[in-house]
Amino acid sequence: MAGMVILSTAYGIDVQPEDDPHIDISVKSLHAMACTGNRGFYLVNSLPFLKYIPEFFPGAGFKKEAHEWYKSVSIMPELPYAFVKRALAAGTAKSSTASRVLEEIEGAPDADDQETNGPLEIAHQLSPGSAGADTTVSALGTFMLAMTLYPDVQKKAQAATDAVVGQGRLPDFSDNIPYMDAVVKEVLRWRPVTPLALPHAVTADDIYNGYRIPAGSVVVGNTWAILHDETTFGLNTHEFIPEHWLNKDGEINTAMREPDAAFGFGRRICPGKDMAQWSVWICAVSILATLNITKSVDKRGAPIEPSGEYTSGLLCYPIPHECDIVPRSEAAQAVIWNAVSD
Ligand code: HEM
């Protein structure tokens, strides 16, 4: 779903339900980024001369991986770019970010300037749209985990949703449900998708807390620490508590420090952050309006506890867990059937 929304908005691509080449290549590339994005994950990050050792050398397995991953990461921007170019030429392109950018560039006076508008450069600038797919999937996985582990939060969120939406329809973006806004923010805070954000480089010499940071140094924003800081969020930051984001009137507290820390920092902050939060919001609120999520039970009737474990890397995903998902009522079931048959 996340990949479909992003590829359709960014490139006007209708994703195939199965074995879609754009999704496949994004999954492979994002896996590569997840494995390599954290600074220091590979020894070659700290000892750059290691990149010159031959591939057959003991301990040089990273070079083989790099070769494989390089292929997917290079194709990822080119594939959807070629799709849009073909569609524009054939007059079949749907309106998308890429089609609009390309049309604009083609009409510009310096359209032939390969230095600034080379196809690959454009493709690379557009490509990170795929960055949103896996990150959104991870956040939705965390949402399902939180709902399984925190039934009281689930009930509260359902009550808040019912009070606005009622029983006979699915929620939509016009529904103002601050508690659900807080649930989404808490999903991104409790288990941030990129706990160490993305490494940045310092552009000019700097001094911070008495430490000299020369230009060019790599700095890593500790998203996890920022989002678990009790001086900002109050107590129990290791628990899933949407109230961390609410003021005493039950509205989103707009005075929070670094409310978007889950999306990185500075000029390179995630440009898809609004789309991401609204994508997670509409999924979460639609799920809670119609379905109950509970822990599965084993043969003896004992609840199966989710491990709560995550993968490690640049992007972290919850390890899949068992849970039971059932319609909340016959009315909810009818709403689901109507939505599916539309
Ligand atoms: C829950 C979902 C998401 C999370 C947690 C997330 C998080 C991040 C983070 C931490 C960064 C690095 C920022 C930095 O360097 O400081 C980033 C970059 C980026 N994200 Fe997202 N993201 C999400 C969804 C999306 C979506 C939906 C899109 C696009 C539709 C998107 C597009 C991008 C792009 C293009 C960049 C690179 C920006 C740059 O380097 O200038 N992301 N994201």
Side-chain angles (χ1 to χ4, degrees), residues 122-300:
I122 297 162
H124 280 282
Q125 282 172 11
L126 294 169
S127 73
S130 314
D134 258 25
T135 43
T136 308
V137 168
S138 166
L140 285 170
T142 294
F143 166 75
M144 294 302 288
L145 177 65
M147 292 304 105
T148 311
L149 289 174
Y150 294 88
D152 291 347
V153 173
Q154 185 181 158
K155 284 201 185 80
K156 241 174 161 173
Q158 286 173 327
T161 303
D162 293 350
V164 175
V165 178
Q167 304 290 331
R169 66 171 176 95
L170 279 177
D172 61 42
F173 290 118
S174 67
D175 293 316
N176 178 21
I177 314 169
Y179 195 81
M180 282 309 302
D181 301 349
V183 165
V184 172
K185 286 179 180 297
E186 188 67 354
V187 161
L188 295 163
R189 183 203 69 78
W190 181 56
R191 296 290 182 260
V193 178
T194 53
L196 289 178
L198 255 76
H200 285 204
V202 181
T203 51
D205 289 353
D206 198 3
I207 295 193
Y208 180 74
N209 273 354
Y211 291 96
R212 194 176 76 82
I213 307 174
S217 310
V218 173
V219 286
V220 175
N222 191 342
T223 302
W224 178 277
I226 292 170
L227 292 173
H228 289 80
D229 181 0
E230 295 197 344
T231 53
T232 306
F233 293 99
L235 296 177
N236 301 323
T237 52
H238 289 277
E239 301 293 336
F240 188 90
I241 305 174
E243 283 77 0
H244 281 136
W245 295 94
L246 296 170
N247 64 21
K248 58 179 173 26
D249 299 324
E251 298 291 332
I252 290 292
N253 179 358
T254 50
M256 298 293 282
R257 197 169 153 240
E258 294 284 1
D260 290 329
F263 293 101
F265 313 96
R267 283 184 295 171
R268 302 302 290 265
I269 193 167
C270 174
K273 67 187 171 62
D274 292 329
M275 184 173 181
Q277 290 185 83
W278 284 114
S279 299
V280 177
W281 188 91
I282 198 69
C283 289
V285 74
S286 303
I287 289 170
L288 292 183
T290 51
L291 302 167
N292 282 327
I293 304 157
T294 49
K295 285 179 194 167
S296 301
V297 288
D298 65 18
K299 283 184 201 139
R300 284 167 302 167

Side-chain angles (χ1 to χ4, degrees), residues 8 25 51 229 241 337:
S8 128
I25 200 70
K51 71 181 171 195
D229 181 0
I241 305 174
W337 279 120

Side-chain angles (χ1 to χ4, degrees), residues 28 31-32 35-36 42 65-74:
K28 281 192 191 135
H31 171 69
C35 293
T36 54
Y42 284 85
E65 287 175 333
H67 266 138
E68 276 309 304
W69 289 340
Y70 178 74
K71 278 188 230 154
S72 344
V73 173
S74 313

